[in-house]
Amino acid sequence: MTSHPRTVIVQDPEGYAPRMSLTLPGTWGEVPDAGPVLAAYSDGRALSPAIATNVVLTAMTVPEGQDLEVWQGAVRAAQMSTLPDLHVLDDRPLDAVDGSTQRYTASVMTDQGGVSVLTRRWSRVVGERGLALTLTTVPMVDAQHAELLDAVAASWTVDAPATDGALR
């Protein structure tokens, strides 16, 4: 990744989502006041002066009776109906390093300033929580640094709930 990668541990302050970890380049920093997300990290424009590359971890309660496919289908339908310039490039099930099933989605859209933004998202359901790692950058940066960005995504681990439902 870089000469000094670091592993960050992310815990839901409310305790509803399992603990997660992620290995980032040592120069990437946490985004302060990132909003309603578990954690957000940025390269600070180290990969390209044109735009910051970001990694965001989120969690939400998945509606009762929805599995990963149904939940992500609803997310995709909402995106397609509200983001007129969204183009889905890839959308498929994918096995995580730990063997769990996740959904991988890649999409591109152009913002109001005319910048095309590439978003890659890996989603999982653990217990009743829908978890997502979202990586956002511009297509050229993604292409130039694909190995690094793939390694960041592959490093994402999620602790599973214990058999009694408690989070470890």
Side-chain angles (χ1 to χ4, degrees):
M1 263 186 219
T2 66
S3 58
H4 302 289
R6 67 186 175 104
T7 299
V8 295
I9 305 297
V10 176
Q11 292 192 237
D12 182 352
E14 297 177 8
Y16 296 115
R19 187 176 71 171
M20 296 176 259
S21 65
L22 186 64
T23 302
L24 300 169
T27 57
W28 288 34
E30 187 164 4
V31 176
D33 302 319
V37 301
L38 293 176
Y41 302 92
S42 175
D43 76 330
R45 297 184 180 228
L47 298 180
S48 170
I51 190 170
T53 296
N54 299 302
V55 174
V56 177
L57 292 168
T58 57
M60 65 175 288
T61 300
V62 175
E64 190 173 334
Q66 289 190 2
D67 62 7
L68 177 63
E69 298 304 313
V70 174
W71 172 52
Q72 284 303 291
V75 168
R76 188 172 40 266
Q79 289 174 330
M80 296 300 284
S81 69
T82 58
L83 301 170
D85 192 36
L86 181 73
H87 301 279
V88 176
L89 304 174
D90 196 354
D91 185 10
R92 61 189 155 94
L94 186 68
D95 290 333
V97 174
D98 66 7
S100 65
T101 300
Q102 57 185 352
R103 187 103 198 150
Y104 172 73
T105 305
S107 60
V108 67
M109 65 177 281
T110 303
D111 70 11
Q112 293 175 340
V115 176
S116 293
V117 177
L118 177 66
T119 301
R120 297 198 285 157
R121 186 178 66 246
W122 293 260
S123 304
R124 307 177 191 192
V125 173
V126 177
E128 298 174 354
R129 302 296 285 170
L131 309 173
L133 179 149
T134 304
L135 194 150
T136 306
T137 191
V138 293
M140 186 62 80
V141 171
D142 190 85
Q144 290 173 338
H145 300 282
E147 187 174 308
L148 168 72
L149 301 176
D150 289 344
V152 168
S155 75
W156 181 37
T157 61
V158 178
D159 290 351
T163 55
D164 63 1
L167 298 176
R168 298 188 250 161

